[in-house]
Amino acid sequence: MVTHPDQQRAFAEAVVRQLRNAGFTALWAGGCVRDLLLGKPPKDYDVATDARPEQVRAVFGNRRTLSVGESFGVIVVLAPDRDAGQIEVATFRTDGQYSDGRRPDSVIFSTPEMDAQRRDFTINGMFYDPLERRVLDYVGGERDLGSGIVRAIGDPHARMTEDKLRMLRAVRFTATFDFQLDLKTAESVKEMASQLTTVSAERIGQEVRRMLVDPHRHRAMQLCVELELLPQVFPELKPIQSRPELWQSTLHKLRLLQTPSFSLAFAVLYDRLHECDTECRDSLAAVTAAGQRLRLSNQELDATLWLLKHRRSLRSAATQSLARLKRTLSEPGGEELLSLLRVQDLAEGHDPNDSLFCEEFLRVTPLAELNPPPLITGDDLKRLGLAPGPQFKRLLDTLRDAQLNGELASHEAALSHAKQLIDVPRDCVES
């Protein structure tokens, strides 16, 4: 469901107002406050209140509320208008111990001041009153935001111990906002880096996705190296990272990418693995292992593998047959393959003629010529008496190449050419 930013903000303000009118304290909390102070439109809004979960449901009614985390004080309030989305309303709380390294064993409902102390980083620990238009800051978040610092609230070791994914979140926030990581926070992350493997693969994968599609992806990866998190997240990259020229080339390519998909950025990360020692040259197997470990979707992993399998397919583009070039560029990943070629040229010092040729080819070639409907199908071959089998596919491929090369221009011409090519044993022909 797509939400409209203005309508969502208005709804988030209405939620605060309705809770206030019912006699409760209510404030915007967390990331939305940080983004507002940075002048960025929040992706969503969270509300914190002293109303207990059952009281929140009483204010908004059971039909407009979902109990998604009531034991932790979290209720989702649904907007009357679908375009305004939904708002998470959480009761101010203090957390007990985190035995599983992710969620508190128990919570005690508390005050805004105490609630702020349980959050991860100072820049995420502020509240905002949308009715009085004022910030409530109990952790120094506004100061750190102005100074460009990501700092854990309180004892950084304790914050990371509570939820070890916060080590990666520290990297992501530092890179995304182009901030500096507080020294004590960095020291705690580095000290605890080996414990990241206790976090579920799905949660690590979510952070990796966010890092690699962000414009500062190269800085995130370098921070992972400096904080010794890279071996925990991408152990397959050790051979690249241990060779400075390859690692710097990889970072350069990540920096050069413009609004890539996750799969393209992921492919760039592993692009030079085949150049390492013999035992590391099967980069496709390494990517498959990483994708399975991080629980990537089949679509994400297949797209990444396709890019790496075809990483050299656009080299010498000007001398390729039209059929081969059109087939490659018309694939679903064709444009991203060209993006990969561009950054390879720039970061590895190749002559850019291939990427320039492909760009011009795409500019002057209409889609109807790049990937036209086939002139002949398998049904046509069956009507000619050819049974499905290895020769069947080879013949279709030959006819398709002839079409893409401009050698065949009509269905009739393709049928005539097919008849000339058909030469099969008697037992392959339908009776």
Side-chain angles (χ1 to χ4, degrees):
M1 180 176 64
V2 178
T3 58
H4 191 283
D6 292 340
Q7 289 176 286
Q8 189 180 41
R9 178 176 176 136
F11 176 49
E13 189 170 321
V15 168
V16 168
R17 182 176 286 106
Q18 194 165 340
L19 285 166
R20 294 275 187 87
N21 290 341
F24 299 107
T25 298
L27 303 162
W28 289 350
C32 65
V33 180
R34 175 201 67 220
D35 291 345
L36 286 169
L37 294 179
L38 286 172
K40 300 175 180 287
K43 294 180 180 177
D44 49 41
Y45 292 82
D46 292 324
V47 170
T49 179
D50 60 352
R52 301 294 181 95
E54 66 274 13
Q55 294 171 319
V56 173
R57 301 203 74 177
V59 169
F60 295 98
N62 286 340
R63 295 184 63 181
R64 282 188 54 205
T65 56
L66 301 174
S67 179
V68 297
E70 192 163 353
S71 61
F72 296 98
V74 180
I75 297 293
V76 169
V77 179
L78 307 175
D81 184 344
R82 289 172 58 88
D83 289 341
Q86 59 189 35
I87 301 293
E88 278 196 5
V89 178
T91 305
F92 298 127
R93 73 177 200 242
T94 299
D95 293 343
Q97 291 193 347
Y98 286 69
S99 297
D100 66 355
R102 179 180 182 183
R103 294 187 179 92
D105 297 338
S106 61
V107 301
I108 299 172
F109 297 135
S110 61
T111 63
E113 295 92 333
M114 296 177 70
D115 185 272
Q117 298 300 323
R118 69 161 180 94
R119 295 174 181 264
D120 53 6
F121 305 105
T122 60
I123 61 172
N124 297 335
M126 296 175 284
F127 301 101
Y128 182 74
D129 185 335
L131 306 185
E132 298 182 12
R133 303 290 191 267
R134 65 190 182 98
V135 177
L136 286 80
D137 180 10
Y138 305 104
V139 294
E142 199 166 9
R143 177 198 63 221
D144 284 344
L145 202 62
S147 301
I149 296 173
V150 174
R151 187 195 315 271
I153 294 173
D155 177 8
H157 191 276
R159 296 291 82 75
M160 304 304 152
T161 299
E162 290 166 351
D163 183 353
K164 296 179 177 64
L165 188 69
R166 287 173 174 172
M167 293 187 280
L168 274 185
R169 285 169 59 82
V171 167
R172 178 164 63 86
F173 290 130
T174 302
T176 297
F177 298 124
D178 200 18
F179 282 6
Q180 296 299 314
L181 186 58
D182 164 66
L183 181 59
K184 289 185 177 179
T185 303
E187 289 173 348
S188 292
V189 171
K190 192 171 182 178
E191 177 187 335
M192 298 177 61
S194 63
Q195 300 178 42
L196 182 65
T197 52
T198 63
V199 178
S200 72
E202 289 85 355
R203 298 182 73 211
I204 292 175
Q206 288 171 0
E207 288 298 314
V208 167
R209 286 183 183 89
R210 291 170 178 169
M211 289 180 192
L212 288 180
V213 299
D214 185 82
H216 299 92
R217 62 191 73 84
H218 60 285
R219 182 149 185 246
M221 292 301 101
Q222 183 56 31
L223 280 169
C224 282
V225 170
E226 294 170 6
L227 298 174
E228 300 182 5
L229 290 168
L230 195 74
Q232 320 307 321
V233 184
F234 299 115
E236 302 86 1
L237 293 180
K238 183 179 179 181
I240 295 179
Q241 192 251 312
S242 63
R243 290 178 57 178
E245 75 282 3
L246 294 186
W247 182 242
Q248 289 306 312
S249 170
T250 298
L251 293 179
H252 191 192
K253 284 189 284 189
L254 289 172
R255 184 186 297 110
L256 291 169
L257 289 174
Q258 297 181 358
T259 61
S261 68
F262 166 72
S263 293
L264 175 55
F266 196 51
V268 165
L269 199 57
Y270 282 79
D271 187 36
R272 303 200 71 172
L273 188 59
H274 69 286
E275 299 176 42
C276 299
D277 295 339
T278 303
E279 65 269 19
C280 306
R281 282 184 179 156
D282 193 352
S283 57
L284 298 181
V287 171
T288 300
Q292 292 173 345
R293 186 181 63 254
L294 296 172
R295 304 292 191 271
L296 302 187
S297 69
N298 290 338
Q299 182 179 3
E300 289 171 327
L301 184 54
D302 288 346
T304 303
L305 290 171
W306 186 87
L307 288 168
L308 290 173
K309 286 177 184 176
H310 294 84
R311 60 189 303 279
R312 299 299 185 197
S313 293
L314 295 177
R315 293 289 175 203
S316 304
T319 63
Q320 291 184 21
S321 69
L322 282 175
R324 179 181 172 188
L325 189 59
K326 288 178 178 179
R327 280 180 179 272
T328 302
L329 290 174
S330 63
E331 286 281 349
E335 289 195 16
E336 292 210 316
L337 186 64
L338 180 52
S339 295
L340 178 59
L341 179 66
R342 289 191 197 103
V343 298
Q344 286 172 341
D345 288 345
L346 290 169
E348 298 175 20
H350 298 300
D351 191 316
N353 285 343
D354 289 329
S355 56
L356 292 173
F357 179 87
C358 291
E359 289 168 9
E360 179 64 11
F361 183 81
L362 286 176
R363 189 185 70 80
V364 301
T365 306
L367 181 60
E369 292 182 22
L370 185 68
N371 188 25
L375 293 174
I376 195 167
T377 67
D379 289 337
D380 294 315
L381 296 186
K382 289 178 183 178
R383 283 191 285 270
L384 292 177
L386 187 65
Q391 186 180 3
F392 196 86
K393 183 181 184 308
R394 286 196 299 270
L395 185 54
L396 284 175
D397 286 342
T398 299
L399 293 166
R400 178 63 169 170
D401 284 346
Q403 177 188 1
L404 294 176
N405 282 328
E407 298 161 4
L408 298 174
S410 68
H411 176 67
E412 292 73 19
L415 276 178
S416 175
H417 192 52
K419 291 175 183 177
Q420 297 173 25
L421 294 174
I422 290 177
D423 181 14
V424 296
R426 183 181 301 274
D427 60 359
C428 291
V429 179
E430 296 179 337
S431 58

